[in-house]
C-alpha cells in the first residue's frame, strides 16, 4: 500500500453532535475538532468508523459503492460500543451531500475518494471507565486516494499466528479503534521478526482474518473463507466478491479453514490467496510463514483468478459493468 494512503483530506467535513438527539448536520473545517481532554473516546476508546469509496464513473458522474451496507455496519459498531444510536438516514445524507460538494475532487480511475465516517464518545467523564458516553460526535472525512497497486503488484507475506488474537473474541464485528490498538503488538512483532506485511490471525488453528482485511483462499474453482461469526469483521468487499463468484458458478465455501488445510492447499500450483478490503479490493498473498517455515502460495505471484475477481468488482465500481445488485449510489 502506498505509505501516504489516507493522509490527504478535503478541506471541509460534515459533522453532527449528539446530546439527547442528533443536531442538524453542518460543514466545518476538516482539520479542527474541539474535544475536552477528558473526552470518553480519548480514555476508553468509545470510537468506531467506516471505510467506503466514491468512484468516478465511466460517464463522468460519481457513485458511492455499497453505502447502505457500510452505514448498517456503522450502526452495528455503534450499538456494540454503546455509543448513541445513529440516524442512518442522516449519516447517508452527510455522506452523499459532502461527496456531492466535492464532486470535482473525486479522482478518475484507478484512483478514488475514500470516505471515513467516524463516531466518537465526547462526554468529559474520566470516571466512566465502565459506563457509556452520553454525548457523541459523528463526522465524515473525505480523502482522495491513489492506486493501491501503484508501482506494481507485490504479493504479500503473512505470518500465521495461532496464539495472538486481534481483539476480544466477541468484539470482532466492531470496526472500532480499540481492536486496531490491540492487534498492533502482533503486527509489529511479525514485521520485525519475520519481515511479514501482515498477521493472519488463526486462534487455535482457525484461519480468521488480518488486522484490517478478510482472508480468501482461491483453489481452482473453490473459494474458501471463514463463515460469519462475531470473532471477525464482516467485510463488504468479502461479501461482494463472494456474490460475484457464486454468480459465476464458482464453488464458494463459507466454513472453518484450518491452518493445516491452508498450508496443504497452498502447495498446489493453482492455489491463490488474497486479502479483501475497501482499500485494495483484493491483494494477492504470496507467502505464508508458520512454525519458522515459509510456504509459497501457488506460484508465489498474483494469480489470474485473484486478478479477475478484483477486475470484475472494479468494473462495477467504475461503472464499466452493469450494477446488477444496485450497489452504487449516484451523487
Ligand atoms: C474494514 C475491515 C475489513 C474489510 O472490510 P471492507 O468492508 O471489505 O472494507 C476487514 N477486516 C477488518 C478488521 C477491517 O477493519
Amino acid at each position: 500500500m502506498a505509505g501516504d494512503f489516507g493522509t490527504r483530506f478535503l478541506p471541509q467535513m460534515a459533522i453532527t453532535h449528539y446530546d439527547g438527539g442528533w443536531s442538524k448536520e453542518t460543514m466545518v473545517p476538516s482539520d479542527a475538532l474541539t474535544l475536552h481532554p477528558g473526552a470518553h473516546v480519548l480514555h476508553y476508546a468509545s470510537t468506531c468508523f467506516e471505510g467506503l469509496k466514491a468512484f468516478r464513473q465511466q460517464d463522468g458522474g460519481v457513485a458511492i459503492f455499497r453505502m447502505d451496507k457500510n452505514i448498517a455496519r456503522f450502526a452495528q459498531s455503534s450499538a456494540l460500543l454503546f455509543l448513541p444510536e445513529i440516524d442512518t438516514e442522516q449519516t447517508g445524507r452527510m455522506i452523499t451531500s459532502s461527496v456531492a460538494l466535492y464532486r470535482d475532487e473525486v479522482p478518475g480511475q484507478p484512483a478514488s475518494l475514500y470516505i471515513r465516517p467516524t463516531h466518537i464518545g465526547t462526554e468529559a467523564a474520566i470516571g466512566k471507565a465502565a459506563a457509556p458516553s452520553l454525548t457523541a460526535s459523528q463526522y465524515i472525512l473525505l480523502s482522495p486516494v491513489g492506486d493501491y497497486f501503484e508501482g506494481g503488484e507485490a504479493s504479500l507475506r503473512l505470518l500465521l499466528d495461532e496464539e495472538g488474537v486481534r481483539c476480544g473474541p466477541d468484539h470482532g464485528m466492531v470496526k472500532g479503534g480499540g481492536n486496531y490498538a490491540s492487534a498492533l503488538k502482533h503486527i509489529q512483532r511479525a514485521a520485525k521478526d519475520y519481515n511479514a506485511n501482515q498477521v493472519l490471525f488463526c486462534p487455535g488453528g482457525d484461519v480468521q482474518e488480518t488486522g484490517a482485511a478478510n482472508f480468501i483462499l482461491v483453489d481452482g474453482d473453490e473459494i474458501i473463507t471463514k463463515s460469519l461469526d462475531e470473532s471477525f469483521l464482516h467485510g463488504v468487499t468479502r461479501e461482494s466478491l463472494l456474490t460475484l463468484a457464486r454468480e459465476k458458478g464458482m464453488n464458494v465455501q463459507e466454513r472453518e479453514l484450518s491452518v493445516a488445510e491452508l498450508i496443504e492447499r497452498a502447495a498446489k500450483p493453482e492455489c491463490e490467496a488474497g486479502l479483501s478490503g475497501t482499500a485494495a479490493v483484493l491483494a494477492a498473498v504470496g507467502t505464508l510463514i508458520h512454525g519458522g517455515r515459509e510456504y509459497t502460495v501457488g506460484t508465489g505471484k498474483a494469480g489470474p483468478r485473484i486478478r479477475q475477481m478484483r477486475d470484475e468488482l472494479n468494473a462495477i465500481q467504475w461503472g464499466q459493468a452493469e450494477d446488477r445488485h444496485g450497489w452504487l449510489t449516484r451523487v
Side-chain angles (χ1 to χ4, degrees):
M1 181 195 305
D4 60 355
F5 180 97
T7 57
R8 216 191 114 210
F9 298 98
L10 295 180
Q12 302 255 110
M13 65 178 181
I15 193 165
T16 174
H17 304 285
Y18 183 91
D19 191 358
W22 289 104
S23 67
K24 188 172 167 14
E25 61 272 21
T26 54
M27 294 301 288
V28 298
S30 66
D31 63 352
L33 178 70
T34 303
L35 271 185
H36 191 285
H40 197 270
V41 59
L42 299 177
H43 300 262
Y44 307 123
S46 49
T47 171
C48 60
F49 64 89
E50 268 308 319
L52 64 167
K53 279 178 168 178
F55 296 89
R56 175 71 57 194
Q57 301 295 286
Q58 178 111 302
D59 64 8
V62 168
I64 302 170
F65 183 68
R66 304 210 72 175
M67 184 176 83
D68 294 349
K69 189 110 179 137
N70 281 273
I71 292 176
R73 191 171 65 187
F74 196 39
Q76 177 181 273
S77 294
S78 299
L80 289 167
L81 291 169
F82 293 87
L83 279 160
E85 187 179 347
I86 66 166
D87 172 348
T88 53
E89 273 181 32
Q90 179 185 39
T91 303
R93 218 165 45 232
M94 287 165 70
I95 294 171
T96 52
S97 63
S98 49
V99 172
L101 178 68
Y102 287 112
R103 201 188 308 268
D104 294 345
E105 304 282 336
V106 177
Q109 191 180 359
S112 55
L113 180 68
Y114 185 81
I115 305 166
R116 171 56 65 95
T118 310
H119 189 180
I120 56 174
T122 53
E123 191 181 359
I126 55 175
K128 282 196 152 183
S133 175
L134 292 181
T135 61
S137 297
Q138 217 189 118
Y139 52 83
I140 315 290
L141 284 168
L142 301 177
S143 176
V145 293
D147 181 7
Y148 185 94
F149 296 104
E150 191 184 356
E153 183 173 357
S155 48
L156 300 166
R157 291 168 56 82
L158 299 190
L159 177 70
L160 309 189
D161 186 340
E162 297 190 40
E163 265 102 52
V165 288
R166 187 178 72 87
C167 62
D170 57 353
H171 234 241
M173 286 165 66
V174 182
K175 205 167 174 75
N179 286 355
Y180 304 87
S182 66
L184 201 53
K185 173 176 83 175
H186 305 292
I187 298 167
Q188 289 301 108
R189 192 181 297 149
K192 183 165 166 282
D193 294 349
Y194 298 96
N195 190 28
N197 301 106
Q198 289 290 337
V199 172
L200 180 55
F201 291 96
C202 308
D206 174 37
V207 176
Q208 196 185 58
E209 67 167 332
T210 64
N214 296 128
F215 180 80
I216 297 179
L217 185 72
V218 184
D219 184 358
D221 199 35
E222 291 174 276
I223 296 189
I224 305 169
T225 194
K226 186 171 171 61
S227 49
L228 299 180
D229 66 22
E230 65 178 11
S231 73
F232 76 106
L233 206 279
H234 304 173
V236 175
T237 314
R238 169 193 178 282
E239 199 254 359
S240 306
L241 289 168
L242 297 187
T243 299
L244 297 181
R246 285 198 176 94
E247 283 175 352
K248 286 204 305 183
M250 291 181 78
N251 174 2
V252 176
Q253 302 166 34
E254 290 180 75
R255 62 168 172 86
E256 301 260 292
L257 171 65
S258 68
V259 166
E261 180 181 355
L262 170 58
I263 286 176
E264 189 186 316
R265 285 184 182 258
K268 300 197 224 166
E270 70 274 20
C271 191
E272 300 179 37
L275 295 183
S276 78
T278 293
V281 172
L282 194 58
V285 173
T287 306
L288 305 174
I289 306 159
H290 183 252
R293 283 189 58 189
E294 297 201 2
Y295 302 86
T296 300
V297 180
T299 63
K301 299 212 174 66
R305 284 197 160 81
I306 292 278
R307 195 167 294 142
Q308 195 187 6
M309 288 169 73
R310 180 169 75 226
D311 288 347
E312 281 169 6
L313 191 56
N314 275 154
I316 295 173
Q317 293 173 324
W318 276 302
Q320 295 156 339
E322 192 193 342
D323 176 23
R324 291 189 305 278
H325 302 279
W327 285 344
L328 299 179
T329 302
R330 306 280 301 208
V331 297

